Amino acid sequence: MMIRLLGVFCILGACGYCGFSFAASVRQQELALRELQMVLELMQCEIRYRITPLPALCASLAQNAPGVVGQAMGRLGKLLEQENPGEISDCMNRALNDSVPKDCAEVMRTLSYSLGKFDLEGQLQGLEAAKADCQRRLQNMEQGKESRLRSYRALGLCGGAALAILLL
């Protein structure tokens, strides 16, 4: 009987952990999108007013944004400083890793197709489009976020309870 009870608690704990970790990953995605929004605004100002070269700009962004987006920008800057970096979009793909949430990575990949390829106005338009895309994704996340997060947590716990009952 004691082993069964221990098994029930283990199942409940594991399923609850899954629900709570999924809710936490949603919050991390939101934080990364907000960081990306700030990075895009900084990039827009730097490119418009100082005309900062992209490798130096990426290094500066890495210092000003300590999260996953800033780290990815730092890796991008280092890749662009190499002797033959290749296309910026290829460098961006290499700079992005699994720690950057999917939505942020998609916006950053799209942005990489306009950076360094067009004149000043073209790059600023690309940044503006990326900011709008980022804002749209944030708004979609905000709609019903708290009830979704509560549901993820409850589903994890209820799923664990149901599984434990079935196995008893």
Side-chain angles (χ1 to χ4, degrees):
M1 184 66 184
M2 190 65 158
I3 291 177
R4 282 186 175 180
L5 199 55
L6 182 63
V8 166
F9 284 121
C10 287
I11 290 171
L12 258 171
C15 291
Y17 174 79
C18 288
F20 278 82
S21 68
F22 193 72
S25 73
V26 170
R27 288 196 184 272
Q28 287 174 339
Q29 287 177 352
E30 180 187 5
L31 287 174
L33 278 172
R34 292 199 187 285
E35 181 186 8
L36 178 59
Q37 199 172 33
M38 181 200 68
V39 162
L40 292 171
E41 288 174 12
L42 286 171
M43 285 180 82
Q44 198 172 28
C45 291
E46 285 286 332
I47 289 175
R48 176 174 283 149
Y49 300 113
R50 292 189 184 166
I51 310 174
T52 307
L54 195 54
L57 175 59
C58 290
S60 170
L61 292 171
Q63 291 175 347
N64 292 322
V68 293
V69 174
Q71 293 169 2
M73 294 306 282
R75 286 189 297 274
L76 176 64
K78 288 178 183 172
L79 288 170
L80 291 174
E81 288 174 348
Q82 293 176 354
E83 192 170 320
N84 289 325
E87 292 288 320
I88 293 175
S89 57
D90 294 334
C91 291
M92 181 67 82
N93 284 329
R94 289 186 305 217
L96 295 173
N97 60 18
D98 293 338
S99 65
V100 179
K102 182 183 151 226
D103 284 343
C104 280
E106 288 174 2
V107 173
M108 292 172 78
R109 281 188 185 99
T110 303
L111 175 66
S112 70
Y113 293 115
S114 65
L115 288 178
K117 291 186 180 179
F118 301 115
D119 64 347
L120 179 66
E121 282 306 310
Q123 291 184 57
L124 290 173
Q125 286 176 357
L127 282 165
E128 196 60 46
K131 279 175 48 179
D133 188 19
C134 190
Q135 182 63 34
R136 181 186 54 78
R137 290 172 191 259
L138 271 170
Q139 286 174 347
N140 288 343
M141 277 187 130
E142 285 294 323
Q143 293 175 351
K145 178 183 77 172
E146 288 305 317
S147 65
R148 269 195 331 269
L149 294 179
R150 216 175 12 258
S151 296
Y152 295 149
R153 293 180 196 120
L155 278 172
L157 291 172
C158 291
L163 187 60
I165 290 170
L166 284 174
L167 293 176
L168 280 179

